[in-house]
């Protein structure tokens, strides 16, 4: 498993159930994630039709979904729905979000230059899941707002990405917005949302790295050179050992970040930044090693490795510059 988190019986059942399902469905769509697995309900309380749970359940699912590329849209949806449920546990939108019948995107004002929260104006570019979203939860330290998308005041434009996922631009022109939280409550909710998204992306990257490593080990055992599997070559064995250590270090720090979600904000921020620093370097190193040991075919459409590597690089870019995370330590 990509992550070694302490689990209760329900979390173990969730992890094993996802693994069994993905063994037969390597690229599940939104309807399968919602209808067959019920993953859209993670983080939403049972009273609103959800599964409950929180950081651990989110991380388990993100790591498992990493190689499917489905976590790209799924993670911000469940996180935005969970934040909405924390601030407004009886909100009318929650049941449809829990069933996946409606989608919600997560927009952080601080991450988009030229986007203003009051009034809500400007363009949020390349927002994960925005191309197909019905709602946007807009995070800002002064206010957290819920906006219905699809109108002239909140128009969306789909943006297909090179890593095989889809994002979207949202053009805000002072749309009608529901205030979900303000003042200190908004700042706390926004900070939690930012940290939880980073921890979730780190978990997704751990799933991708584990899959790239496993695929590489399998390939080295199959590829023949000089009458023997190239897995017997010492230089390649050393390279795989280095990749394994890289994956384990990134996973260990990600596990700390996931478990720190319930800690005080400073402790949580430090844990999340430490994980991000490690994952930014690790996902590139593991991806490059996997591609190089597969040879030129590593980037062809014949293998899934190429899309894993591209998705890993996209996650590294989304986590932001390492210097920003170093400054938070």
């Amino acid at each position: 498993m990509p992550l070694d988190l302490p689990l209760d019986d329900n979390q173990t059942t969730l992890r094993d159930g996802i693994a069994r399902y993905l063994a037969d469905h390597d690229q599940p769509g939104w309807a399968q994630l919602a209808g067959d697995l019920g993953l859209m309900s993670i983080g939403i309380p049972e009273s609103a039709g959800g599964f409950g749970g929180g950081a651990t359940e989110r991380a388990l699912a993100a790591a498992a979904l990493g190689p499917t590329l489905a976590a790209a849209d799924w993670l911000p949806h469940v996180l935005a729905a969970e934040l909405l449920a924390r601030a407004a546990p009886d909100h009318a939108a929650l049941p449809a979000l829990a069933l996946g019948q409606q989608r919600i995107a997560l927009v952080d004002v601080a991450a988009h230059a030229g986007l203003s929260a009051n009034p809500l104006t400007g363009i949020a570019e390349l927002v994960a899941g925005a191309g197909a979203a019905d709602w946007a939860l807009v995070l800002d330290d002064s206010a957290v707002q819920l906006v219905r998308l699809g109108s002239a005041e909140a128009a969306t434009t789909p943006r297909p990405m090179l890593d095989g996922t889809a994002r979207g631009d949202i053009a805000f022109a002072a749309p009608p917005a529901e205030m979900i939280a303000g003042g200190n409550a908004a700042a706390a909710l926004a900070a939690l949302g930012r940290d939880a998204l980073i921890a979730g992306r780190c978990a997704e990257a751990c799933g991708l790295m584990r899959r790239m490593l496993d695929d590489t080990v399998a390939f080295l055992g199959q590829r023949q050179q000089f009458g023997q599997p190239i897995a017997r070559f010492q230089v390649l064995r050393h390279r795989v050992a280095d990749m394994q250590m890289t994956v384990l270090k990134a996973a260990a720090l990600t596990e700390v970040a996931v478990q720190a979600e319930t800690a005080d904000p400073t402790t949580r921020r430090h844990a999340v930044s430490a994980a991000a620093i490690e994952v930014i370097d690790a996902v590139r190193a593991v991806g490059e090693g996997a591609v190089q040991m597969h040879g030129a075919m590593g980037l062809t459409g014949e293998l899934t490795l190429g899309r894993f590597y591209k998705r890993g690089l996209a996650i590294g870019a989304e986590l932001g510059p390492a210097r920003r995370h170093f400054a938070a330590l």
Side-chain angles (χ1 to χ4, degrees):
M1 292 295 173
L3 298 176
D4 185 17
L5 292 162
L7 306 179
D8 61 26
D9 290 344
N10 289 336
Q11 292 164 341
T12 300
T13 299
L14 174 67
R15 180 199 64 189
D16 295 346
I18 295 173
R20 285 194 299 270
Y21 186 85
L22 294 181
D24 297 323
H25 305 81
D26 60 351
Q27 287 188 282
W30 187 270
Q32 291 171 300
L33 296 181
D36 295 348
L37 290 172
L39 294 185
M40 306 308 171
S41 63
I42 289 178
I44 297 177
E46 294 181 17
S47 59
F51 173 82
T56 297
E57 288 82 0
R58 224 184 298 122
L60 290 174
L65 293 176
T68 72
L69 305 188
D73 290 354
W74 171 85
L75 178 60
H77 171 89
V78 294
L79 180 55
E82 181 177 342
L83 295 174
L84 176 61
R86 283 174 179 258
D90 297 322
H91 198 283
L94 289 174
L97 295 175
L99 292 173
Q101 295 171 346
Q102 293 185 344
R103 302 192 190 192
I104 185 169
L106 192 62
V107 178
D108 181 6
V109 172
H112 300 278
L115 187 62
S116 171
N118 188 21
L120 185 54
T121 56
I123 298 177
E125 296 182 320
L126 301 180
V127 177
D134 302 284
W135 300 91
L137 188 70
V138 183
L139 304 181
D140 185 70
D141 290 339
S142 63
V144 174
Q145 305 171 76
L146 182 66
V147 178
R148 182 80 185 197
L149 301 179
S151 66
E153 295 83 9
T156 59
T157 304
R159 300 291 188 195
M161 305 300 291
L162 289 176
D163 64 358
T165 66
R167 291 180 172 249
D169 298 343
I170 308 175
F172 293 108
E178 179 181 353
M179 179 70 73
I180 300 299
N184 292 336
L189 199 65
L192 174 61
R194 293 177 188 122
D195 289 344
L197 182 60
I198 292 173
R201 289 303 189 207
C202 288
E204 180 187 353
C206 286
L208 280 167
M209 288 188 286
R210 172 53 60 185
R211 178 64 179 275
M212 288 191 286
L213 178 59
D214 290 347
D215 286 358
T216 300
V217 170
F219 175 76
L220 295 181
Q222 298 166 1
R223 179 78 164 85
Q224 297 281 324
Q225 190 79 35
F226 305 114
Q228 60 182 319
I230 61 175
R232 294 182 181 178
F233 298 168
Q234 189 176 49
V235 65
L236 297 182
R237 294 167 71 93
H238 287 175
R239 185 72 180 273
V240 168
D242 288 342
M243 290 167 63
Q244 169 77 341
M245 288 300 300
T246 299
V247 172
L248 290 175
K249 287 192 297 179
L253 287 172
T254 297
E255 291 155 12
V256 172
V258 170
Q259 295 176 80
E261 185 168 306
T262 56
D264 64 89
T266 300
T267 300
R268 184 185 70 216
R269 177 73 258 178
H270 288 173
V272 166
S273 288
I277 290 167
E278 189 66 36
V279 167
I280 289 169
D281 287 339
V283 75
R284 179 179 291 275
V286 172
E288 287 178 351
V291 169
Q292 288 170 4
M293 281 190 278
H294 275 79
M297 67 184 297
L299 285 175
T300 65
E302 289 183 61
L303 300 183
T304 56
L305 175 61
R307 73 169 189 245
F308 297 159
Y309 180 41
K310 292 173 186 176
R311 178 62 191 149
L313 293 180
I315 292 174
E318 184 177 348
L319 293 177
R323 64 178 179 274
R324 187 184 73 196
H325 295 291
F326 275 114
L329 297 178

